[in-house]
Amino acid sequence: MAATVIVNLGLVGVGRWGQQHYNAIQKAAGVRLVATCASSAESAAKVQAEWGLPCDTDYEAFLARPEIEAVIIASPNAQHYRMAHQALSAGKHVLVEKPMSFSRQECDNLIALAAEKGLTLFPGHEFRLFSLWGRFKQLLDEGAIGQPRFGSVDLRRYPYSSGSGGWRRDPAQVGDWLLEEPIHYFDLMTWYMAKNEAKPTRLYASASASSPERAAWHENFSALLTFEDGAYVNITRTVASFQFRLQIRFTGSLGTLEGSWSAATDRSPDPVARLTLFHFGDEAPQEIEVSQQTGHAYDLYREIEAFAAAIGGEPAIIAGLDGRRAVYLCQAAAESLQAGKPIELVDWK
């Protein structure tokens, strides 16, 4: 039997989300964490003591390590493009947390550079790898509700944390609040609607807040995304609620599929997950069995395994173009909010 190929990983960012990646790497098959990179000497010393791994504070020195084959970038948003570009230029495969960049032109630059170098560029849209939402996709693609015509995602959650050093409160670091979380749901909705093979053509967004300070967060946000075949999806999200409650519903020509995930936080180890299928004409819905061990606390390792598999030549479940599309939709939503009108999606690829 052939030996399993192991990909040597370097991890950039050792904060809360970096810790999540570290935990996931311990569970993932086909990878080995060999080095890390932190933003301060204090963080580096802590990582070296607790994880037993070398930790650089100089990113160029980190990339120069010959043992690193692939890099996971879990740093604040504003650093993603620069770090991904440097890593690709240094010949490293890249898993970069969302957003890939603040602009679609920079996303195009990363896609072109990865293609030129023959490297894997894997945007961190991990919801696709969660077992609950992956099963939802599988049922849609199998025709469980026929041709999807309408989809909705509704998130109710507690306010965001400030992030290490308060970077999530800094517009220059976060980019836009749309890039921090709604970007995931734009990605999921277009992924689910891919069965229609129809392009999204128009986006209309609105937002409100309980105070001027909260308005900058798009505290209450909604977006209507229309496709060229007349199908559409609706995305709503509030960060003025409690716990973390995500519900996704799709209706098609044969019925409705509904999934839900709720817990105290988005990283909780004890969520309640449900998946329900209803066919027109049935007297009662069908409860589909799903694992309760799904979500960030359990499934992030699947993303890392998928990244390693893509490096090994398997089709990537998430590609650079997907990251570019998600950024584009967030940009269009921001433009719609500012203009107060729908935006035509003329730059969809």
Side-chain angles (χ1 to χ4, degrees):
M1 185 170 60
T4 301
V5 176
I6 301 294
V7 177
N8 287 332
L9 297 177
L11 175 62
V12 185
V14 296
R16 287 183 62 193
W17 194 236
Q19 178 72 57
Q20 288 289 123
H21 274 289
Y22 173 79
N23 294 341
I25 290 168
Q26 310 314 304
K27 295 173 58 178
V31 298
R32 177 192 299 117
L33 184 61
V34 296
T36 60
C37 186
S39 59
S40 70
E42 181 182 1
S43 294
K46 182 178 179 182
V47 165
Q48 289 173 158
E50 295 182 0
W51 295 357
L53 290 166
C55 188
D56 297 299
T57 55
D58 183 299
Y59 187 54
E60 291 185 2
F62 168 80
L63 290 178
R65 289 181 175 272
E67 65 271 29
I68 296 176
E69 300 172 82
V71 172
I72 295 177
I73 298 172
S75 56
N77 293 357
Q79 301 174 16
H80 290 179
Y81 173 73
R82 173 183 62 82
M83 287 187 160
H85 196 282
Q86 287 181 262
L88 291 168
S89 297
K92 314 295 185 182
H93 303 281
V94 171
L95 189 166
V96 56
E97 273 301 331
K98 54 78 195 161
M100 280 170 51
S101 167
F102 291 167
S103 79
R104 56 189 185 274
Q105 179 57 59
E106 289 183 344
C107 290
D108 288 339
N109 294 345
L110 293 179
I111 292 168
L113 181 57
E116 175 190 334
K117 295 281 190 177
L119 296 168
T120 296
L121 173 61
F122 199 100
H125 290 286
E126 70 274 0
F127 278 79
R128 292 193 186 194
L129 281 305
F130 289 2
S131 60
L132 172 62
W133 304 123
R135 179 65 174 135
F136 196 104
K137 167 70 169 173
Q138 182 183 18
L139 288 166
L140 288 179
D141 287 353
E142 289 173 351
I145 62 168
Q147 187 75 353
R149 302 302 300 157
F150 165 72
S152 69
V153 54
D154 178 52
L155 172 66
R156 290 160 286 163
R157 61 161 290 165
Y158 50 89
Y160 299 118
S161 66
S162 60
S164 178
W167 71 267
R168 285 198 181 93
R169 307 295 189 201
D170 180 358
Q173 291 293 310
V174 78
D176 188 295
W177 283 102
L178 299 174
L179 295 168
E180 185 57 19
E181 191 166 49
I183 190 171
H184 279 305
Y185 307 116
F186 280 124
D187 176 66
L188 271 184
M189 293 296 99
T190 51
W191 187 49
Y192 286 159
M193 291 297 284
K195 178 177 172 59
N196 282 18
E197 297 184 353
K199 296 179 180 179
T201 55
R202 176 181 290 191
L203 191 154
Y204 187 27
S206 60
S208 67
S210 58
S211 69
E213 294 79 15
R214 291 180 179 271
W217 305 355
H218 309 306
E219 185 180 44
N220 307 298
F221 170 80
S222 65
L224 182 65
L225 185 61
T226 305
F227 291 76
E228 61 187 357
D229 64 351
Y232 67 98
V233 298
N234 191 41
I235 296 169
T236 60
R237 185 225 56 187
T238 180
V239 293
S241 187
F242 61 97
Q243 296 191 320
F244 190 100
R245 299 165 181 266
L246 178 62
Q247 184 176 64
I248 298 178
R249 180 186 301 110
F250 266 71
T251 297
S253 55
L254 299 179
T256 295
L257 180 64
E258 182 177 292
S260 65
W261 191 99
S262 61
T265 75
D266 59 345
R267 296 178 176 85
S268 290
D270 55 350
V272 176
R274 293 187 63 184
L275 192 56
T276 305
L277 175 64
F278 178 78
H279 284 134
F280 299 140
D282 288 353
E283 292 185 0
Q286 173 188 353
E287 293 291 337
I288 297 173
E289 185 176 353
V290 292
S291 172
Q292 298 303 296
Q293 293 188 337
T294 184
H296 286 105
Y298 296 103
D299 289 326
L300 191 60
Y301 81 94
R302 298 175 185 271
E303 178 184 65
I304 294 168
E305 289 184 342
F307 176 45
I311 292 171
E314 294 186 19
I317 193 172
I318 310 169
L321 183 58
D322 299 311
R324 193 258 193 204
R325 287 172 170 174
V327 168
Y328 177 37
L329 293 178
C330 288
Q331 285 186 314
E335 186 179 346
S336 177
L337 288 174
Q338 184 166 356
K341 64 180 183 180
I343 300 299
E344 302 298 324
L345 302 174
V346 298
D347 193 26
W348 184 263
K349 294 183 179 181

